[in-house]
Amino acid sequence: MGFFKKLFPKKQVEKRDQIISQIRQSMNQMNLRSRKFANQADLNKAKARKYIKTNKALAKQYLARYQKSQKLQKRYDTYIAKLEDRIFALEQAEDIKAMTDAMKGATVALKQASVLINPQTAMELSVESQQAMADIDRAGEIFAEEEDLNLDEEELDAALEELEAEALLGEIEELPEVPADTIRQPEKSKVKKQLEELRESIDSDID
C-alpha cells in the first residue's frame, strides 16, 4: 500500500477517482435516456402496427417516430460506450504508470547489480577464491609436516638384521617340544672316530 501511495500521490488519486465518479454518473443518466428511447421505439412500432390497416398515414407517423427513437437510443449507447472506453483508459494509465515506475526501479537495481556482479568480476572472484583455498590447503600441509626420520644406509641395515634376528628367535620359541627318547643322536664321523681310537692307542703305549 505504501508503494502504491508513492506511485500515486493522494491528491492525484482523489482527482482521478473524482473524474471517474463523474463519468459513471453521466453514464447512469445516459443509460436512463437510452432505456427511455428504447421504450418509445417499442411503443411507436406497436402503434404503427395497430394503424397499418386502418390509417396508413398515422401508421407512417408512428413508424417515423419509431425510427427516430431507435436512432436516439443507439446514439446514447454510443455515448455510453465512449465513456466506458475513457474509464478503461484512465484505469489502464494507472496500471501503465505503476508498471513504468516498477520497471524503472527494477532497471536501476539491475544496473547497480551489474556493476558489482559481471562476468569479469565473477571470474576474478572465482580465481581469488580458488587461490585462497589453495593457500589454506598448503597451510594445512605445513602444520601436518613431521620431522625427517629417515635413517642412513648403515642404520637401516642394522635395523634389518635386528628384525631378522627377532623373527628367527620367535620361530625357535614357537617350535614344539620333542621327547628326549625320540631324539636320535647323530652318528660320529669316521675321521673323528679314527682320531679317538688313535688317541686311546697312544695313551696305552705310554702306560
Side-chain angles (χ1 to χ4, degrees), residues 5-155:
K5 288 181 178 179
K6 289 181 180 179
L7 294 179
F8 302 99
K10 185 176 181 181
K11 290 183 179 180
Q12 293 183 7
V13 173
E14 290 178 352
K15 186 176 181 179
R16 186 206 63 234
D17 291 344
Q18 184 179 1
I19 293 172
I20 292 176
S21 177
Q22 291 174 353
I23 294 174
R24 291 191 185 281
Q25 289 178 2
S26 299
M27 288 173 60
N28 291 333
Q29 291 177 356
M30 292 179 185
N31 268 316
L32 293 175
R33 302 272 184 179
S34 177
R35 291 176 187 175
K36 176 184 176 181
F37 289 124
N39 292 333
Q40 286 180 355
D42 292 341
L43 181 60
N44 290 327
K45 189 174 183 179
K47 288 184 178 181
R49 287 177 179 175
K50 180 180 178 181
Y51 293 106
I52 190 67
K53 293 182 180 180
T54 59
N55 192 341
K56 288 187 178 182
L58 187 59
K60 187 176 181 180
Q61 290 180 6
Y62 280 117
L63 189 60
R65 292 178 183 178
Y66 160 73
Q67 292 178 351
K68 184 178 181 179
S69 297
Q70 194 176 42
K71 288 180 180 180
L72 289 172
Q73 178 197 356
K74 290 180 179 179
R75 179 181 295 179
Y76 275 90
D77 287 345
T78 302
Y79 293 161
I80 294 168
K82 288 183 177 181
L83 291 176
E84 286 179 343
D85 290 342
R86 270 56 183 178
I87 291 176
F88 173 76
L90 287 171
E91 293 175 344
Q92 187 180 31
E94 177 182 325
D95 296 336
I96 291 173
K97 186 177 186 304
M99 183 67 179
T100 301
D101 291 339
M103 289 293 290
K104 285 181 180 179
T107 302
V108 171
L110 287 171
K111 286 182 178 179
Q112 293 174 348
S114 66
V115 173
L116 298 175
I117 302 175
N118 54 58
Q120 182 64 29
T121 304
M123 185 177 295
E124 291 175 357
L125 290 173
S126 178
V127 172
E128 290 177 1
S129 62
Q130 290 178 358
Q131 183 61 44
M133 288 188 293
D135 291 342
I136 292 172
D137 189 53
R138 177 56 184 158
E141 291 178 356
I142 292 173
F143 283 120
E145 287 180 357
E146 297 181 357
E147 295 181 4
D148 185 8
L149 300 180
N150 294 330
L151 300 175
D152 59 25
E153 198 66 27
E154 293 181 358
E155 292 177 344

Side-chain angles (χ1 to χ4, degrees), residues 188-201:
K188 295 180 180 179
S189 63
K190 293 181 179 181
V191 176
K192 190 175 182 180
K193 187 176 182 181
Q194 291 175 356
L195 288 173
E196 289 178 354
E197 290 177 352
L198 179 59
R199 188 180 298 147
E200 290 176 359
S201 174

